[in-house]
Amino acid sequence: MKKIFTLALFTLPFLTGAQTFQGVGGGIQNNGQPTYFYLNVTGLPSQLDNNFGLTDVSITINHPAVQELSVNLQSPSGTTVELTDGNNCSGPNYTGTSFNSSNSTSITLGASPYTGAFKPIGYFGRFNNWQNPNGSWRLIVKDYVAFFNSGTVISWSITFGTSPSPAINFTSSNLPILFINTNNQTISSNSVQVNMGIIDNSPNRNNTNDAWNAYNGKVGIHLHGSSSRAFEKKPYAIETQDASGNAIDVPLLGMPAESDWLLIASYQDKTLMRSPLSYEFYRRMGHYAPRFRYVELVLNNEYQGVYQLMEKPKRDSLRISVKKLSATDNSAPNITGGYILKIDRTNAPGWYSQYPGNSNAGSRFYYQYDYPKDSKITSAQRSYIQAYMDSVEEAFNSPNFADPQTGYPNFIGVGTFVDFFILNEFSKNIDAYRLSTYLYKDRDGHGSKLHIGPVWDYDLAWHNCIGNCTNTGWQYQMNDSANPSPKWWFKLMQDSNFTNKLYCRWHELRQTVLTDANLYAFVDSLGAVLNESQQRNFTQWPILGANIHPNPQIQQGASYQSELTDLKTWISARAGWLDWAIQGHCPVLTNTTNDNSMVDNIRVFPNPMSTSTTIALTLKQNADVSLRIVDVVGNEVALLLNEHAPSGESQVLFDREQLPAGIYFYQLQVNRSLKTGKIVVQ
C-alpha cells in the first residue's frame, strides 16, 4: 500500500510578494514503490503565469545513497517535474537543497550532501502555464533499490513568487507542428483513442493557430520504449484510426502510407539526431531504414519539444519487403517466408537461442516474433522458423563454419551482415547485436537466406553511452549476461572471407558515403534545421549542462553547439581507429593478358557518375566482347555487353538504377584479353 503523509503548512504574508508552504516529512518506503507527501495549497491566485508562479522548492532528505532515489514534484493539475534523479547524483543526503530553474548549476553537477541552490533536472515553467495552484501538491520520492537502504524526508517546502520561470510561449515553428488531445485520458502502456492534428505549411512557416492540414483525425496512443519511458519527456507509439478504432493507412508528412508510427523523444540524445544520422547513412549504404520527420509536439495544450515522427519497422513493400504469410501458408514453398524476428529482451513472445551468447554467465540471447506476430503465427510456421534459426546457429558453431556449402554462407546474406557490422561498430552502439536487432527471411526463390536489418534505436550510440564509450575498441566483443549478443560475430571475424569483404566495403564507403565531410555536412544540415526548435526544447527540458544518464561528455558550460562539435570530433576519431583496425585485402583486378591490341581506346564519362555514365570503346577489328560491372569484392552488378561486336567505336550507357554509392569496376573482355578500370558512383 502506498504510504500517505499529510503535511502541516504555514504561509508568509502575501504582501511580501512570495508565499512559502512548508511541511513535515516522514519515512520513505523501501519496497520499490513511490512514497507520496501531500501538501494542500490555498489562498493563491487562481492562475500561475509569468508574473506570479512557483519559483523554489527545498528538500532535506536523509538517505545513505541518493543515487537510489528519484524526487519529483506534482501539481494539483497533474503536471510532474523532476527535481533530481538517482542516475545523476550520488552520495548521502540532500541537506537544505534548494531548486530554482533560474539557478546556473544543475543538481547533477553538485556533490553530496547537495547543500545550496541548484537547477532541477526539470523545468518549473511547466507549472507556470496558467494552471490553478490551489489544491493538493505532492512530493513523490521513490527508492528504486528495494529492501536495501532506507531513508527519510526530513522537510520540504514550495515557494510562489513574482519572479517565476516562464512557460514556453509557443506560437510558430519552421518544423511541422503535431497536436495531441487526450480528452482527459491518461497515456499509459494501454492504448487509448485520442485526437491528433498536424500542421505542415512547408516551405512556409507553421503557426499554432493554423488549420490542421496534414492530418486531422483519431489515433490510438500508448507509451513506447523500455527505459526511455521513465524520463519526463515520453516517447509514444501511435496508430492512425477511423472513428471506430480501426487502423487506417495514412501517408504522414510525405512518408509512405501506414498506420503504425512512433514519436521518438530522444531525451538522452542532446544532439537530437543520433538515430536520424544512423538511418540516413544506412539508406545511403543501400538498405531500408525507417523514414522520419522532425516535428514539435503539443500535448493537451502543453509544449513538449522536438520529436521525430518515425516509421515503425514492419513488413511492407516499402519497408521490410518480405512475402506476406497467411494462416494457410503451412507447407513448402510458402512456409519458407517471409519472417521478421528481433533479438531483444524477453518482454515479448519468442524463444531462446540454442547456444550461449557472449556472456560470462553462459546465458542465451532471445528471439522475438515480429512478423507474423505471436497471435497470428501458426504452429507449423513457428516450427519452421525456429528450425531454420537452429540451422543457422549450428552452421556458425560447426568446425567448418566458413564452408560455402555447409557453413554460415549457405544460410545468411553476408553483405547485409557486413554493412550492419560497419554501422554498429562505427557508431559504437551500446545496444548493438543484443537488443533491437532485426532479422528477416524471405520465401525460397525470393532472397531466401537470412538477412539482418533494418538498423534501429541509436540514441545510445555515437559517443552517448557509459562504460565502453571510447573511440577505440570493438563493440561486438561487449560481454553482457542479461542480454547477450550472438557469438556469430566472433565467428565472422575469424573468417578471412568475411574480413576481406568487410575491409573492402569499409574502405569503399570511406571514399564515398562515409567520408568525414559527408558525415559533418549531414550533422550541420540537421543542426541548421533544429537551430530554432532546439532552443525551445532545451528550455522545456533543461538538460544541456546536466549529467543525464548515460552522457559521457563534460557538462559544465555545455551548449547545443558543443554537443554537435563533440559528435563530429568523435566521428572523426572513431573512423580513424576503424581505418587502422579493419584489416584485410581486396581482390586486385588486373589484365589477364598483356595482349590489348584489339582495343584501341576506352573512355568512361562522366566519372565519378551520379545517375549514369557512358563507356566508349574502340575495337580495331571484329571481336567477341563482354562488358560487365562488378563491385569491390568481384560480385557482378550489371552485364552491359556480351556479343560479337564489329570494329570501330561503340558506346554503352551504364544506368545506376538502385545501385548504392560506392566504388565499382568495369571488366572489358575482348576475345581472351581483359581490361579493367574504376568507376565511382556518387
Side-chain angles (χ1 to χ4, degrees), residues 460-482:
L460 303 184
W462 307 104
H463 199 215
N464 192 33
C465 66
I466 54 173
N468 185 27
C469 204
T470 62
N471 53 44
T472 63
W474 294 107
Q475 185 60 37
Y476 81 89
Q477 295 177 349
M478 177 181 173
N479 184 290
D480 185 79
S481 296

Side-chain angles (χ1 to χ4, degrees), residues 408-682:
Y408 78 82
N410 187 45
F411 292 94
I412 71 169
V414 176
T416 63
F417 279 74
V418 168
D419 281 5
F420 188 85
F421 184 88
I422 284 174
L423 188 69
N424 279 285
E425 289 299 331
F426 194 3
S427 64
K428 213 170 187 188
N429 178 16
I430 198 71
D431 291 335
Y433 315 117
R434 62 193 187 93
L435 296 172
S436 301
T437 297
Y438 283 91
L439 303 156
Y440 63 93
K441 183 196 178 299
D442 211 343
R443 189 166 298 171
D444 286 356
H446 297 270
S448 57
K449 291 185 178 181
L450 182 73
H451 294 74
I452 196 164
V455 294
W456 182 244
D457 193 4
Y458 282 74
D459 276 0
L460 303 184
W462 307 104
H463 199 215
N464 192 33
C465 66
I466 54 173
N468 185 27
C469 204
T470 62
N471 53 44
T472 63
W474 294 107
Q475 185 60 37
Y476 81 89
Q477 295 177 349
M478 177 181 173
N479 184 290
D480 185 79
S481 296
N483 300 108
S485 61
K487 289 187 176 180
W488 307 341
W489 304 100
F490 287 87
K491 292 287 189 175
L492 289 169
M493 292 298 282
Q494 294 169 18
D495 178 22
S496 61
N497 288 323
F498 182 85
T499 56
N500 285 339
K501 285 182 170 61
L502 175 64
Y503 175 85
C504 295
R505 179 63 166 156
W506 169 252
H507 286 282
E508 171 202 1
L509 292 169
R510 284 289 286 152
Q511 296 178 64
T512 53
V513 174
L514 297 181
T515 64
D516 287 3
N518 282 343
L519 290 156
Y520 290 175
F522 186 73
V523 170
D524 289 340
S525 67
L526 290 192
V529 169
L530 295 172
N531 184 55
E532 173 194 327
S533 57
Q534 61 84 13
Q535 298 176 53
R536 286 187 289 267
N537 182 87
F538 292 118
T539 299
Q540 188 75 333
W541 315 109
I543 60 173
L544 291 176
N547 284 325
I548 300 298
H549 178 83
N551 303 156
Q553 296 86 358
I554 295 174
Q555 291 300 318
Q556 189 70 51
S559 65
Y560 186 65
Q561 189 57 52
S562 72
E563 293 288 339
L564 299 189
T565 299
D566 174 85
L567 174 60
K568 291 191 289 185
T569 301
W570 189 89
I571 283 173
S572 180
R574 180 63 174 165
W577 185 83
L578 289 171
D579 289 340
W580 167 83
I582 296 178
Q583 299 292 315
H585 69 273
C586 295
V588 179
L589 298 174
T590 60
N591 296 336
T592 56
T593 74
N594 292 322
D595 179 17
N596 293 309
S597 59
M598 297 293 292
V599 182
D600 187 48
N601 188 29
I602 183 167
R603 295 174 297 131
V604 181
F605 55 93
N607 189 16
M609 60 174 282
S610 178
T611 58
S612 63
T613 191
T614 299
I615 303 173
L617 57 108
T618 302
L619 298 178
K620 293 182 178 180
Q621 63 185 59
N622 298 350
D624 292 327
V625 177
S626 72
L627 177 60
R628 66 190 72 236
I629 308 297
V630 299
D631 63 18
V632 292
V633 294
N635 297 318
E636 181 180 303
V637 298
L639 177 62
L640 304 180
L641 276 179
N642 189 22
E643 61 186 38
H644 187 76
S647 61
E649 183 175 277
S650 299
Q651 293 190 0
V652 181
L653 182 69
F654 170 40
D655 191 330
R656 73 180 290 181
E657 295 181 343
Q658 300 300 314
L659 200 65
I663 295 175
Y664 298 86
F665 297 88
Y666 67 79
Q667 293 181 337
L668 173 65
Q669 183 170 339
V670 181
N671 293 338
R672 295 183 178 181
S673 175
L674 180 68
K675 288 182 73 69
T676 65
K678 182 167 69 174
I679 300 176
V680 177
V681 178
Q682 294 179 328

Side-chain angles (χ1 to χ4, degrees), residues 217-275:
K218 300 291 186 180
V219 297
I221 188 169
H222 61 85
L223 293 175
H224 171 70
S226 181
S227 57
S228 58
R229 66 173 60 188
F231 296 113
E232 278 190 293
K233 187 184 180 188
K234 308 292 185 187
Y236 304 104
I238 60 177
E239 180 186 70
T240 47
Q241 298 177 345
D242 62 20
S244 300
N246 301 308
I248 54 174
D249 292 343
V250 177
L252 297 181
L253 296 178
M255 293 179 281
E258 247 297 341
S259 59
D260 288 323
W261 305 88
L262 299 170
L263 282 167
I264 303 299
S266 294
Y267 179 80
Q268 298 161 286
D269 173 14
K270 295 173 183 175
T271 70
L272 302 170
M273 64 176 67
R274 283 179 165 88
S275 286

Side-chain angles (χ1 to χ4, degrees), residues 211-456:
W212 293 359
N213 57 0
Y215 185 81
N216 186 354
K218 300 291 186 180
V219 297
I221 188 169
H222 61 85
L223 293 175
H224 171 70
S226 181
S227 57
S228 58
R229 66 173 60 188
F231 296 113
E232 278 190 293
K233 187 184 180 188
K234 308 292 185 187
Y236 304 104
I238 60 177
E239 180 186 70
T240 47
Q241 298 177 345
D242 62 20
S244 300
N246 301 308
I248 54 174
D249 292 343
V250 177
L252 297 181
L253 296 178
M255 293 179 281
E258 247 297 341
S259 59
D260 288 323
W261 305 88
L262 299 170
L263 282 167
I264 303 299
S266 294
Y267 179 80
Q268 298 161 286
D269 173 14
K270 295 173 183 175
T271 70
L272 302 170
M273 64 176 67
R274 283 179 165 88
S275 286
L277 171 69
S278 306
Y279 303 154
E280 172 66 21
F281 280 88
Y282 203 60
R283 277 193 293 273
R284 294 188 190 184
M285 290 163 67
H287 306 281
Y288 165 73
R291 304 169 185 89
F292 76 96
R293 287 286 304 275
Y294 283 115
V295 299
E296 292 195 78
L297 175 64
V298 177
L299 173 63
N300 293 332
N301 297 317
E302 183 186 7
Y303 177 76
Q304 298 292 308
V306 176
Y307 277 73
Q308 298 146 32
L309 176 64
M310 187 171 292
E311 293 177 331
K312 182 178 180 180
K314 62 185 296 186
R315 193 210 73 81
D316 186 297
S317 61
L318 296 175
R319 291 173 175 81
I320 307 176
S321 182
V322 296
K323 288 288 185 181
K324 187 174 183 177
L325 270 172
S326 70
T328 59
D329 291 328
N330 294 310
S331 60
N334 290 6
I335 197 173
T336 63
Y339 297 91
I340 304 173
L341 305 173
K342 190 162 61 165
I343 297 174
D344 213 325
R345 296 178 175 86
T346 59
N347 58 352
W351 78 97
Y352 283 101
S353 61
Q354 285 191 95
Y355 296 92
N358 188 28
S359 162
N360 290 333
S363 51
R364 295 174 293 159
F365 59 93
Y366 186 79
Y367 298 105
Q368 292 182 4
Y369 299 108
D370 191 84
Y371 177 83
K373 293 292 186 186
D374 178 67
S375 59
K376 293 187 176 180
I377 192 169
T378 68
S379 59
Q381 291 164 358
R382 290 177 197 269
S383 298
Y384 173 84
I385 192 58
Q386 289 189 27
Y388 189 88
M389 295 310 301
D390 287 349
S391 298
V392 172
E393 293 183 20
E394 288 162 5
F396 271 115
N397 284 276
S398 69
N400 300 316
F401 70 93
D403 186 276
Q405 304 302 319
T406 61
Y408 78 82
N410 187 45
F411 292 94
I412 71 169
V414 176
T416 63
F417 279 74
V418 168
D419 281 5
F420 188 85
F421 184 88
I422 284 174
L423 188 69
N424 279 285
E425 289 299 331
F426 194 3
S427 64
K428 213 170 187 188
N429 178 16
I430 198 71
D431 291 335
Y433 315 117
R434 62 193 187 93
L435 296 172
S436 301
T437 297
Y438 283 91
L439 303 156
Y440 63 93
K441 183 196 178 299
D442 211 343
R443 189 166 298 171
D444 286 356
H446 297 270
S448 57
K449 291 185 178 181
L450 182 73
H451 294 74
I452 196 164
V455 294
W456 182 244

